[in-house]
Amino acid sequence: MSKSGTPEDALTAAFAAARRTAPEPEADFLARVLADAEGVQEGFAKAKVAEAAAEARFGTTSRGGWRGVFQALGGWPAVSGLGAAAVTGLWIGVAPPERLDATAQQVWGEDITLALQPDIGTDLFPDEEG
């Protein structure tokens, strides 16, 4: 565009013409989209009827127990993310990277050590030496 605001090239004129005339979808495409939407709506209605039948049969819906916990947390994707974070935290706690000790000492100002030795009062492997 020039400083006066008029289109200078054919491409700018073509874009302006395309903005003025919006394309209309074909009738058979719209019919297919509407048929698909009606099928999805029927599926929702069938699921709602099945849920009502289960509630009438068992007294409550089957969202209790672990399913309810998983659903409250956000489903399996969220639970798998929490599990991965827990395993990562455990791994970093058991076998920390070399520089993590120095960083922790700078943050807390003291050396923190966690001893992971079982003390159950019996020898687990009495035949082993060392």
Side-chain angles (χ1 to χ4, degrees):
M1 290 217 157
S2 67
K3 292 183 180 179
S4 64
T6 59
E8 293 181 341
D9 60 350
L11 186 60
T12 307
F15 282 140
R19 279 189 224 107
R20 283 191 299 270
T21 57
E24 292 291 324
E26 296 178 8
D28 64 333
F29 173 74
L30 288 177
R32 287 184 304 203
V33 168
L34 288 176
D36 188 34
E38 288 173 359
V40 169
Q41 291 295 324
E42 288 174 6
F44 287 147
K46 288 178 183 177
K48 198 176 270 191
V49 168
E51 186 176 346
E55 187 173 339
R57 185 174 181 190
F58 299 114
T60 60
T61 57
S62 60
R63 291 187 182 157
W66 286 109
R67 279 190 185 174
V69 171
F70 291 150
Q71 193 169 19
L73 289 173
W76 280 108
V79 171
S80 64
L82 286 172
V87 168
T88 303
L90 182 67
W91 182 259
I92 290 173
V94 170
E98 292 177 17
R99 298 185 187 253
L100 188 62
D101 293 335
T103 305
Q105 190 171 7
Q106 287 177 355
V107 170
W108 284 292
E110 58 186 45
D111 193 19
I112 298 173
T113 307
L114 177 65
L116 296 174
Q117 298 175 353
D119 186 20
I120 58 174
T122 60
D123 291 333
L124 295 177
F125 303 104
D127 295 336
E128 294 282 328
E129 292 183 19

Coordinates of all heavy atoms in Angstrom, one line a residue, residues 45-99:
A45 N -27.8 -38.8 24.1 CA -29.1 -39.2 24.6 C -29.1 -40.6 25.1 O -29.6 -40.9 26.2 CB -30.2 -39.0 23.6
K46 N -28.5 -41.5 24.3 CA -28.4 -43.0 24.7 C -27.5 -43.1 26.0 O -27.9 -43.9 26.9 CB -27.8 -43.8 23.6 CG -28.8 -44.0 22.4 CD -28.1 -44.8 21.3 CE -29.1 -44.9 20.2 NZ -28.4 -45.7 19.0
A47 N -26.5 -42.4 26.1 CA -25.6 -42.4 27.3 C -26.3 -41.9 28.5 O -26.2 -42.5 29.6 CB -24.3 -41.6 27.0
K48 N -27.1 -40.9 28.3 CA -27.9 -40.3 29.5 C -28.9 -41.3 29.9 O -29.1 -41.5 31.1 CB -28.5 -39.0 29.1 CG -29.0 -38.2 30.2 CD -29.5 -36.9 29.8 CE -28.4 -35.9 29.7 NZ -28.8 -34.5 29.5
V49 N -29.6 -42.0 29.0 CA -30.6 -43.0 29.3 C -29.9 -44.2 30.0 O -30.4 -44.7 31.1 CB -31.3 -43.5 28.1 CG1 -32.1 -44.8 28.3 CG2 -32.2 -42.4 27.6
A50 N -28.7 -44.7 29.6 CA -28.0 -45.8 30.2 C -27.6 -45.4 31.6 O -27.6 -46.2 32.5 CB -26.8 -46.2 29.3
E51 N -27.1 -44.1 31.8 CA -26.7 -43.7 33.1 C -27.9 -43.6 34.1 O -27.8 -44.0 35.2 CB -26.1 -42.3 33.0 CG -25.5 -41.8 34.3 CD -24.8 -40.5 34.2 OE1 -24.5 -40.1 33.0 OE2 -24.5 -39.9 35.2
A52 N -29.0 -43.2 33.6 CA -30.2 -43.2 34.4 C -30.7 -44.6 34.8 O -31.1 -44.8 35.9 CB -31.4 -42.4 33.7
A53 N -30.6 -45.5 33.9 CA -30.9 -46.9 34.1 C -30.0 -47.5 35.2 O -30.4 -48.2 36.1 CB -30.9 -47.7 32.8
A54 N -28.7 -47.2 35.1 CA -27.7 -47.7 36.0 C -28.0 -47.1 37.4 O -27.9 -47.8 38.4 CB -26.3 -47.4 35.6
E55 N -28.3 -45.9 37.5 CA -28.6 -45.2 38.7 C -29.9 -45.8 39.4 O -29.9 -46.0 40.6 CB -28.8 -43.7 38.5 CG -28.9 -42.9 39.8 CD -28.9 -41.4 39.6 OE1 -28.4 -41.0 38.6 OE2 -29.4 -40.7 40.5
A56 N -30.9 -46.1 38.5 CA -32.1 -46.7 39.1 C -31.8 -48.1 39.5 O -32.4 -48.6 40.5 CB -33.2 -46.7 38.0
R57 N -31.0 -48.8 38.8 CA -30.7 -50.2 39.2 C -29.8 -50.4 40.4 O -30.0 -51.2 41.3 CB -30.0 -50.9 38.0 CG -29.8 -52.4 38.2 CD -29.2 -53.0 36.9 NE -29.1 -54.4 37.1 CZ -28.4 -55.1 36.2 NH1 -27.9 -54.6 35.1 NH2 -28.3 -56.4 36.4
F58 N -28.7 -49.5 40.5 CA -27.8 -49.7 41.6 C -27.9 -48.6 42.7 O -27.2 -48.7 43.7 CB -26.3 -49.6 41.0 CG -26.1 -50.7 40.1 CD1 -25.8 -50.4 38.7 CD2 -26.0 -52.0 40.5 CE1 -25.5 -51.5 37.8 CE2 -25.8 -53.1 39.6 CZ -25.5 -52.8 38.3
G59 N -28.8 -47.7 42.5 CA -29.0 -46.6 43.5 C -28.1 -45.4 43.3 O -28.5 -44.3 43.6
T60 N -26.9 -45.6 42.8 CA -26.0 -44.5 42.5 C -25.3 -44.8 41.2 O -25.3 -45.9 40.7 CB -24.9 -44.3 43.6 OG1 -24.2 -45.5 43.7 CG2 -25.6 -44.0 44.9
T61 N -24.6 -43.8 40.7 CA -23.8 -44.0 39.5 C -22.5 -44.7 39.9 O -22.1 -44.6 41.0 CB -23.5 -42.7 38.7 OG1 -22.9 -41.8 39.7 CG2 -24.8 -42.0 38.2
S62 N -21.9 -45.3 38.9 CA -20.7 -46.1 39.2 C -19.4 -45.2 39.2 O -18.5 -45.5 38.5 CB -20.5 -47.2 38.3 OG -20.4 -46.7 36.9
R63 N -19.4 -44.0 39.9 CA -18.3 -43.1 39.9 C -17.6 -43.1 41.2 O -17.0 -42.1 41.6 CB -18.7 -41.7 39.5 CG -19.1 -41.7 38.0 CD -19.4 -40.3 37.6 NE -19.8 -40.3 36.2 CZ -20.5 -39.4 35.6 NH1 -20.9 -38.3 36.3 NH2 -20.8 -39.5 34.4
G64 N -17.8 -44.1 42.1 CA -17.2 -44.1 43.4 C -15.9 -44.8 43.3 O -15.4 -45.3 42.3
G65 N -15.3 -44.9 44.5 CA -14.0 -45.7 44.6 C -12.9 -45.0 43.8 O -12.8 -43.8 43.8
W66 N -12.0 -45.8 43.2 CA -10.9 -45.3 42.5 C -11.3 -44.5 41.3 O -10.6 -43.5 40.9 CB -9.9 -46.4 42.2 CG -9.2 -46.9 43.3 CD1 -9.3 -48.1 44.0 CD2 -8.1 -46.2 44.1 NE1 -8.5 -48.2 45.0 CE2 -7.7 -47.0 45.1 CE3 -7.6 -44.9 44.0 CZ2 -6.8 -46.7 46.0 CZ3 -6.6 -44.6 44.9 CH2 -6.2 -45.4 45.9
R67 N -12.4 -44.9 40.6 CA -12.8 -44.1 39.5 C -13.2 -42.7 39.8 O -12.9 -41.8 39.1 CB -14.0 -44.8 38.8 CG -13.7 -45.9 38.0 CD -14.9 -46.4 37.2 NE -14.6 -47.5 36.4 CZ -15.5 -48.2 35.8 NH1 -16.8 -47.8 35.8 NH2 -15.2 -49.3 35.1
G68 N -13.8 -42.5 41.0 CA -14.2 -41.2 41.4 C -12.9 -40.4 41.7 O -12.9 -39.2 41.4
V69 N -11.9 -41.0 42.4 CA -10.7 -40.3 42.7 C -10.0 -39.9 41.4 O -9.6 -38.7 41.2 CB -9.8 -41.2 43.5 CG1 -8.4 -40.5 43.7 CG2 -10.4 -41.4 44.9
F70 N -9.9 -40.8 40.4 CA -9.2 -40.5 39.2 C -10.0 -39.4 38.4 O -9.4 -38.5 37.8 CB -9.1 -41.7 38.3 CG -8.1 -42.7 38.8 CD1 -8.3 -44.1 38.6 CD2 -7.0 -42.4 39.6 CE1 -7.4 -45.0 39.1 CE2 -6.1 -43.3 40.1 CZ -6.3 -44.6 39.8
Q71 N -11.3 -39.5 38.4 CA -12.1 -38.5 37.7 C -12.0 -37.1 38.4 O -11.9 -36.1 37.8 CB -13.5 -38.9 37.7 CG -14.3 -38.1 36.7 CD -15.7 -38.7 36.4 OE1 -16.2 -39.5 37.2 NE2 -16.3 -38.4 35.4
A72 N -11.9 -37.1 39.8 CA -11.8 -35.8 40.5 C -10.4 -35.2 40.2 O -10.3 -34.0 40.2 CB -11.9 -36.1 42.0
L73 N -9.4 -36.0 40.0 CA -8.0 -35.5 39.7 C -7.9 -35.0 38.3 O -7.0 -34.3 37.9 CB -7.0 -36.6 40.0 CG -6.8 -36.8 41.5 CD1 -5.8 -38.0 41.7 CD2 -6.2 -35.6 42.2
G74 N -8.8 -35.4 37.4 CA -8.7 -35.0 36.0 C -8.6 -36.1 35.0 O -8.3 -35.9 33.9
G75 N -8.8 -37.4 35.5 CA -8.8 -38.5 34.6 C -7.4 -39.1 34.5 O -6.4 -38.7 35.2
W76 N -7.2 -40.1 33.7 CA -6.0 -40.9 33.6 C -4.8 -40.0 33.1 O -3.7 -40.2 33.6 CB -6.2 -42.1 32.7 CG -6.8 -43.2 33.4 CD1 -8.1 -43.7 33.2 CD2 -6.3 -44.0 34.4 NE1 -8.4 -44.7 34.0 CE2 -7.3 -44.9 34.8 CE3 -5.0 -44.1 35.1 CZ2 -7.1 -45.9 35.8 CZ3 -4.9 -45.0 36.0 CH2 -5.8 -45.9 36.4
P77 N -5.0 -39.0 32.2 CA -3.8 -38.2 31.9 C -3.3 -37.5 33.1 O -2.0 -37.4 33.2 CB -4.4 -37.2 30.8 CG -5.5 -37.9 30.2 CD -6.1 -38.7 31.3
A78 N -4.1 -36.9 33.9 CA -3.6 -36.2 35.1 C -3.0 -37.1 36.1 O -2.0 -36.8 36.7 CB -4.8 -35.4 35.7
V79 N -3.6 -38.3 36.3 CA -3.1 -39.3 37.2 C -1.7 -39.8 36.8 O -0.8 -40.0 37.6 CB -4.0 -40.4 37.5 CG1 -3.4 -41.6 38.3 CG2 -5.3 -39.9 38.2
S80 N -1.6 -40.0 35.5 CA -0.2 -40.5 35.0 C 0.8 -39.4 35.1 O 2.0 -39.7 35.4 CB -0.4 -40.9 33.5 OG -0.7 -39.8 32.7
G81 N 0.4 -38.1 34.9 CA 1.3 -37.0 35.2 C 1.8 -36.9 36.6 O 2.9 -36.7 37.0
L82 N 0.8 -37.1 37.5 CA 1.1 -37.1 39.0 C 2.0 -38.3 39.3 O 3.0 -38.1 40.1 CB -0.1 -37.2 39.8 CG -1.0 -35.9 39.9 CD1 -2.3 -36.2 40.6 CD2 -0.2 -34.8 40.6
G83 N 1.8 -39.4 38.7 CA 2.6 -40.6 39.0 C 4.1 -40.4 38.5 O 5.0 -40.7 39.2
A84 N 4.2 -39.8 37.3 CA 5.5 -39.5 36.8 C 6.3 -38.5 37.6 O 7.5 -38.6 37.9 CB 5.4 -39.0 35.3
A85 N 5.5 -37.5 38.1 CA 6.2 -36.5 39.0 C 6.6 -37.1 40.3 O 7.7 -36.8 40.9 CB 5.2 -35.3 39.3
A86 N 5.8 -38.0 40.9 CA 6.1 -38.7 42.1 C 7.3 -39.6 41.9 O 8.3 -39.6 42.8 CB 4.9 -39.5 42.6
V87 N 7.4 -40.4 40.8 CA 8.6 -41.2 40.6 C 9.8 -40.4 40.4 O 10.9 -40.7 40.9 CB 8.3 -42.2 39.4 CG1 9.5 -42.9 38.9 CG2 7.2 -43.1 39.7
T88 N 9.7 -39.3 39.7 CA 10.8 -38.4 39.5 C 11.3 -37.8 40.8 O 12.5 -37.8 41.0 CB 10.5 -37.3 38.5 OG1 10.0 -37.8 37.2 CG2 11.7 -36.4 38.2
G89 N 10.4 -37.4 41.6 CA 10.8 -36.8 42.9 C 11.5 -37.9 43.8 O 12.5 -37.6 44.5
L90 N 10.9 -39.1 43.8 CA 11.6 -40.2 44.5 C 13.0 -40.5 44.0 O 13.9 -40.6 44.8 CB 10.7 -41.4 44.4 CG 11.2 -42.6 45.2 CD1 11.1 -42.4 46.7 CD2 10.3 -43.9 44.9
W91 N 13.1 -40.5 42.7 CA 14.4 -40.8 42.1 C 15.4 -39.7 42.4 O 16.6 -40.0 42.8 CB 14.3 -40.9 40.6 CG 15.6 -41.3 39.9 CD1 16.4 -40.4 39.3 CD2 16.2 -42.5 39.9 NE1 17.6 -41.1 38.9 CE2 17.5 -42.4 39.3 CE3 15.9 -43.8 40.4 CZ2 18.3 -43.5 39.1 CZ3 16.7 -44.8 40.3 CH2 17.9 -44.7 39.6
I92 N 15.0 -38.4 42.3 CA 15.9 -37.3 42.7 C 16.3 -37.4 44.2 O 17.4 -37.1 44.6 CB 15.3 -36.0 42.3 CG1 15.3 -35.9 40.8 CG2 16.1 -34.8 42.9 CD1 14.6 -34.6 40.3
G93 N 15.3 -37.8 45.0 CA 15.6 -37.9 46.4 C 16.5 -39.1 46.8 O 17.4 -38.9 47.6
V94 N 16.4 -40.2 46.1 CA 17.3 -41.3 46.4 C 18.7 -41.2 45.7 O 19.7 -41.4 46.4 CB 16.6 -42.6 45.9 CG1 17.5 -43.8 45.9 CG2 15.3 -42.9 46.7
A95 N 18.7 -40.7 44.5 CA 20.0 -40.6 43.8 C 20.1 -39.2 43.2 O 19.9 -39.0 42.0 CB 20.1 -41.6 42.7
P96 N 20.4 -38.2 44.0 CA 20.4 -36.8 43.5 C 21.6 -36.6 42.6 O 22.6 -37.2 42.7 CB 20.5 -36.0 44.8 CG 21.2 -36.9 45.8 CD 20.7 -38.3 45.5
P97 N 21.4 -35.7 41.7 CA 22.5 -35.3 40.8 C 23.7 -34.7 41.6 O 23.5 -34.2 42.8 CB 22.0 -34.2 39.9 CG 20.5 -34.4 39.9 CD 20.2 -35.0 41.3
E98 N 24.9 -34.7 41.1 CA 26.1 -34.3 41.8 C 25.9 -32.8 42.3 O 26.3 -32.5 43.4 CB 27.3 -34.4 40.9 CG 27.7 -35.8 40.6 CD 28.9 -35.9 39.7 OE1 29.6 -34.9 39.5 OE2 29.1 -36.9 39.1
R99 N 25.5 -31.9 41.5 CA 25.4 -30.5 41.9 C 24.3 -30.2 42.8 O 24.2 -29.1 43.3 CB 25.4 -29.6 40.7 CG 26.7 -29.8 39.8 CD 26.7 -28.9 38.7 NE 27.8 -29.2 37.8 CZ 28.9 -28.4 37.7 NH1 29.0 -27.4 38.5 NH2 29.9 -28.8 36.9

